[in-house]
């Protein structure tokens, strides 16, 4: 839609939890715009990833009804809060509203 409103280019992309083998990560030959070369193997290993500002920043899993997030690099305080909130939403979705538990591991140094 050529005349549709557009967000400001400086607007950060929201946190997103992606499933294993998601097209956003696998669909392009040049994946450097979404994932760092150091973590590129995650995309073909079947890891579930978390996007922070449009880039792969963590992996996630579900353990005993809790969404467990493992950062790949240091999160800012705001990023950690946004990841935790989206993790709670995901936990609620996956459990039909019975759980909102999320654990964000310590960031690597």
């Amino acid at each position: 839609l050529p005349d549709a409103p557009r967000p400001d280019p400086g607007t950060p992309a929201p946190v997103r939890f992606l499933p294993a083998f998601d097209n956003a990560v696998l669909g392009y030959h040049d994946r450097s715009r979404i994932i760092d070369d150091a973590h590129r193997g995650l995309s073909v290993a079947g890891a579930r990833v978390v996007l922070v500002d449009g880039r792969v920043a963590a992996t996630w899993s579900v353990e005993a009804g809790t969404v467990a997030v493992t950062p790949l690099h240091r999160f800012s305080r705001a990023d950690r809060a946004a990841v935790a909130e989206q993790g709670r939403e995901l936990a609620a979705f996956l459990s039909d509203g019975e759980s909102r538990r999320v654990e964000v591991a310590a960031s690597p140094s």
Side-chain angles (χ1 to χ4, degrees):
L1 303 171
D3 296 325
R6 306 275 192 263
D8 181 270
T11 303
V15 169
R16 293 289 184 246
F17 282 67
L18 300 182
F21 304 111
D22 190 85
N23 187 52
V25 178
L26 292 178
Y28 302 96
H29 177 71
D30 178 12
R31 297 181 186 130
S32 64
R33 62 185 160 167
I34 194 168
I35 190 168
D36 294 335
D37 285 341
H39 305 296
R40 190 170 176 185
L42 293 172
S43 62
V44 294
R48 299 169 182 169
V49 297
V50 180
L51 301 183
V52 174
D53 199 19
R55 298 200 43 86
V56 172
T59 60
W60 69 275
S61 62
V62 179
E63 300 166 8
T66 300
V67 172
V69 178
T70 304
L72 298 173
H73 58 77
R74 185 166 297 282
F75 283 165
S76 69
R77 194 171 273 143
D79 288 344
R80 180 174 286 278
V83 167
E85 178 55 31
Q86 284 300 307
R88 285 189 286 278
E89 295 294 324
L90 178 61
F93 173 78
L94 294 174
S95 69
D96 288 331
E98 293 184 18
S99 171
R100 290 183 50 84
R101 291 187 309 269
V102 63
E103 292 178 0
V104 181
S107 296
S109 45

